[in-house]
């Protein structure tokens, strides 16, 4: 499994409730750009429109070698593929319980197909975000202290 792009901002801003895997409908030029690692999921999100999942605002850059006829829209809507029952379940949870759907990462699976990790999330409050930052800093300090002890610097 080779990760193409990851949405780090989503992990910071949301508590993850449940994760799903979805296929992505892409054009040829988009696949080539993703193989080159030219994707950004920073402000992307997922919407359910007419019973179908769509990835919106994900940026897949154009390559210089792409022919003008085959060029894709960089921030266009991309359809996500999931079973109808799963989509209905997600729609119920998003509309009734107030959850949000975000994309966590894009990756190549074992069969070299591009897949997306989709997450059902709940937004964090400001104090939750501060606690996350404090925990991250404490872990970093602990790693540095262990590294310095192993080197003999005390």
């Amino acid at each position: 499994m080779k990760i193409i792009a990851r949405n780090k901002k989503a992990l910071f801003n949301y508590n993850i409730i449940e994760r799903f895997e979805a296929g992505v409908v892409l054009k040829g030029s988009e696949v080539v750009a993703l193989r080159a690692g030219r994707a950004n999921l920073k402000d992307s999100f997922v919407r359910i429109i007419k019973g179908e999942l769509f990835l919106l605002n994900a940026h897949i850059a154009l390559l210089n070698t792409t022919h003008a006829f085959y060029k894709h829209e960089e921030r266009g809507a991309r359809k996500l593929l999931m079973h109808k029952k799963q989509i209905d379940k997600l729609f119920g949870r998003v509309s009734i319980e107030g959850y949000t759907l975000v994309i966590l990462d894009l990756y190549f699976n074992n069969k070299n197909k591009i897949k997306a990790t989709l997450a059902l999330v709940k937004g964090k409050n400001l104090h939750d975000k501060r606690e996350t930052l404090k925990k991250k800093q404490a872990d970093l300090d602990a790693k540095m202290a262990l590294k310095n002890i192993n080197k003999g610097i005390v």
Side-chain angles (χ1 to χ4, degrees):
M1 187 170 95
K2 180 188 171 201
I3 294 178
I4 302 164
R6 179 165 279 161
N7 190 352
K8 293 179 184 176
K9 197 173 181 183
L11 296 173
F12 178 71
N13 288 333
Y14 301 105
N15 288 322
I16 298 171
I17 308 300
E18 201 171 345
R19 292 175 190 246
F20 300 95
E21 181 183 67
V24 186
V25 177
L26 297 169
K27 294 182 179 178
S29 59
E30 292 172 322
V31 174
V32 174
L34 287 175
R35 287 193 192 285
R38 308 275 307 242
N40 186 359
L41 300 174
K42 186 177 176 184
D43 296 323
S44 62
F45 57 95
V46 178
R47 288 277 187 257
I48 300 174
I49 302 169
K50 295 183 181 177
E52 295 179 337
L53 289 172
F54 287 94
L55 173 61
L56 303 171
N57 212 20
H59 184 266
I60 299 176
L62 293 170
L63 293 176
N64 294 336
T65 57
T66 306
H67 191 275
F69 182 76
Y70 297 108
K71 287 189 177 179
H72 60 273
E73 193 176 334
E74 289 183 335
R75 289 201 177 266
R78 291 163 181 94
K79 188 174 178 181
L80 297 175
L81 303 172
M82 288 180 77
H83 292 285
K84 186 70 176 167
K85 283 185 179 182
Q86 287 180 319
I87 295 173
D88 291 341
K89 178 183 169 186
L90 287 174
F91 182 69
R93 294 188 77 177
V94 167
S95 60
I96 295 170
E97 298 175 23
Y99 292 126
T100 306
L101 287 171
V102 295
I103 191 112
L104 296 180
D105 54 21
L106 288 173
Y107 61 93
F108 289 105
N109 70 354
N110 297 336
K111 296 180 180 179
N112 223 12
K113 303 275 186 191
I114 296 174
K115 299 286 184 175
T117 304
L118 187 71
L120 191 65
V121 297
K122 188 88 169 167
K124 284 185 184 178
N125 294 328
L126 184 60
H127 65 285
D128 292 335
K129 291 179 187 177
R130 287 183 186 148
E131 285 182 28
T132 304
L133 286 174
K134 285 179 189 175
K135 183 180 177 194
K136 189 175 181 181
Q137 187 62 40
D139 290 344
L140 187 64
D141 292 342
K143 281 184 183 179
M144 291 301 290
L146 284 174
K147 192 175 185 181
N148 289 338
I149 288 171
N150 289 339
K151 286 184 177 180
I153 304 170
V154 178

